[in-house]
């Protein structure tokens, strides 16, 4: 179980000798009054969001609750400053305070992850991946091309040299995990610019075990010869061996890029160590700050020294001006993640996911890969006769917030899907332990067993419509309220 002193704020309250949640209550009440004076609907939606988050079982694997100090740090005038460029090398005057917060955030990030370099400007995970891709392209393609053409910088290129360089960029290849195996759109898929920048080859998982088949991946990489191999996922419920991924990348001359957005908190919290820690093995690591890492909404990139100069060109190469207030909040989140309390939290996230998986399996749910050893579980809801969309909606009707997700070789495609993805980071922050997650498993299975697809006019089962047995949503919400009330979110923060 997470230490209660840290369970809902992320900071050691006793060390600060202050109850941050209670101290923040009048501040937030005044803040909402001030916002309401300009646009009451925004103030009301902000207040209601807290009410909603407090009252629901938040099980979206990519969400969490940041500490109040992290949230507060985002609401300052650091937002008002332009600071394109890097620390001490800006395109605008007057950036000394932005330099300070960016340097502090980078210092904490490098120490936390043991990285050679950290770039904390990306605004999101997609942005972090774009920075990483362009850094790899600059390092691996642009620099050698400039050298071959005898140019010191791109400014020295003639028009026909430019044509050469563009052709070099255009024929690059990337390998990423397939979407239905749990990969992410930004790993070379067509709904993201990465799918238009690169020729992509997806690697899947073994049809029997559901696990990454490293031998098959090696064979495919030998054949495809990618410039970049991307490891990382958003819906794969298992750990990855990054030493093996690096070995494959080295064999085929690829750069290993790891997108650790989902599991950064487990790396920071030393749950993923040795060959499961991507940082010593990847050339470039991208991430978000707001998922299991429990920081503000944003991204960052870690890299080896070799890639650092190219990574630092992120803004203005592919990013808008850095968000000073968010970099400041990232600094706080990284500092929080360096505490022993965060390590205990991260371990609980993984332990709770196991308890949730066991509770689901015991009650007849079918899980992709048969379980989990990270922070998420993927239920294949087809054995309840449902699509992922129906399951997601029925659970939401019952106060359980999840999201539908494809399962490997999903017959229902990416819109309806056959899966529901469930994660433990947020409710672990509220202090849920194994017993509470077992109750969560019971509630989920009750709802799924009580839901039936509606029959269409043609007599077939609808993929979207459903009915839930009378009283089940109400009963579920009342059971949830008992455990949620026992683990309040930001206790002491009263807004009425
Ligand atoms: N939206 C994130 C997730 O839910 O996994 C990734 O983009």
């Amino acid at each position: 179980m997470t230490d209660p002193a840290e369970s809902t704020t992320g900071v050691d309250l006793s060390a600060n000798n202050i109850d941050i949640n209670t101290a923040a209550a009048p501040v937030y009440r005044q803040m909402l009054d001030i916002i309401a004076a300009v646009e009451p609907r925004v103030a009301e939606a902000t207040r209601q969001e807290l009410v909603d988050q407090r009252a629901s079982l938040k099980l979206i694997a990519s969400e969490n609750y940041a500490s109040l100090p992290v949230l507060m740090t985002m609401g300052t005038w650091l937002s008002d400053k332009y600071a394109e460029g890097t620390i001490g090398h800006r395109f605008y005057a007057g950036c000394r305070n932005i330099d300070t917060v960016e340097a502090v955030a980078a210092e904490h990030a490098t120490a936390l992850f043991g990285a050679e370099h950290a770039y904390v400007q990306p605004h999101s995970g997609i942005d972090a991946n774009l920075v990483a891709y362009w850094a790899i392209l600059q390092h691996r393609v642009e620099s050698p091309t400039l050298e071959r053409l005898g140019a010191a910088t791109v400014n020295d290129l003639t028009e026909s040299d430019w044509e050469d360089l563009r052709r070099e960029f255009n024929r690059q290849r990337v390998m990423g995990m397939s979407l239905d195996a749990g990969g992410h759109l930004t790993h070379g898929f067509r709904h993201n610019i990465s799918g238009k920048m690169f020729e992509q080859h997806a690697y899947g998982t073994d049809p029997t075990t559901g696990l990454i088949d490293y031998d098959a991946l090696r064979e495919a990489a030998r054949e495809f010869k990618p410039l970049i191999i991307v490891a990382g996922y958003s819906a794969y419920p298992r750990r990855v061996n990054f030493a093996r991924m690096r070995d494959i990348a080295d064999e085929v001359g690829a750069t290993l890029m790891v997108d650790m957005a989902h599991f950064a908190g487990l790396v920071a919290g030393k749950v993923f160590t040795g060959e499961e820690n991507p940082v010593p093995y990847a050339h470039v690591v991208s991430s978000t700050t707001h998922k299991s890492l429990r920081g503000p909404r944003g991204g960052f990139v870690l890299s080896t020294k070799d890639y650092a100069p190219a990574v630092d060109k992120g803004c203005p190469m592919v990013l808008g001006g850095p968000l000073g207030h968010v970099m400041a909040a990232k600094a706080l989140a990284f500092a929080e993640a360096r505490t022993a309390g965060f390590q205990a939290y991260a371990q609980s996230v993984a332990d709770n996911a196991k308890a949730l998986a066991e509770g689901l399996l015991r009650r007849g749910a079918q899980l992709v890969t048969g379980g989990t050893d990270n922070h998420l579980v993927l239920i294949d809801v087809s054995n309840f006769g449902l699509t992922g969309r129906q399951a997601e909606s029925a659970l939401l009707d019952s106060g359980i917030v999840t999201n539908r997700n494809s399962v490997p070789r999903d017959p229902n495609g990416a819109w309806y899907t056959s899966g529901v993805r469930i994660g433990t980071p947020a409710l672990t922050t509220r202090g849920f332990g194994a017993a509470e997650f077992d109750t969560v498993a019971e509630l989920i299975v009750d709802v799924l067993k009580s839901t039936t697809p509606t029959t269409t006019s043609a007599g077939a089962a609808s993929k979207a419509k459903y009915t839930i047995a009378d009283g089940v949503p109400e009963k579920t919400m009342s059971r949830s309220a008992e455990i949620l009330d026992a683990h309040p979110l930001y206790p002491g923060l009263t807004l009425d």
Side-chain angles (χ1 to χ4, degrees), residues 57-113:
L57 288 173
K58 171 149 128 162
L59 290 164
I60 291 186
S62 48
E63 293 187 2
N64 212 325
Y65 307 103
S67 72
L68 289 185
V70 165
L71 296 181
M72 286 175 151
T73 306
M74 282 189 280
T76 77
W77 34 88
L78 289 172
S79 167
D80 295 333
K81 189 76 195 91
Y82 252 120
E84 288 171 3
T86 47
I87 302 162
H89 187 77
R90 308 282 185 186
F91 291 86
Y92 289 83
C95 294
R96 64 180 180 160
N97 300 309
I98 304 293
D99 280 354
T100 299
V101 297
E102 182 169 351
V104 173
E107 176 195 305
H108 279 305
T110 46
L112 175 63
F113 293 106

Side-chain angles (χ1 to χ4, degrees), residues 62 184 234 262 291 421:
S62 48
H184 193 256
S234 60
H262 259 264
K291 298 187 173 92
R421 187 186 67 162

Side-chain angles (χ1 to χ4, degrees), residues 27 54 65 67 79 149 171 185 264 295 297 306 315 417 449 458 478:
V27 176
R54 280 177 161 161
Y65 307 103
S67 72
S79 167
L149 296 171
R171 59 187 195 82
L185 283 176
R297 190 157 290 279
D306 284 353
C315 170
T417 81
K449 281 184 173 164
S478 135

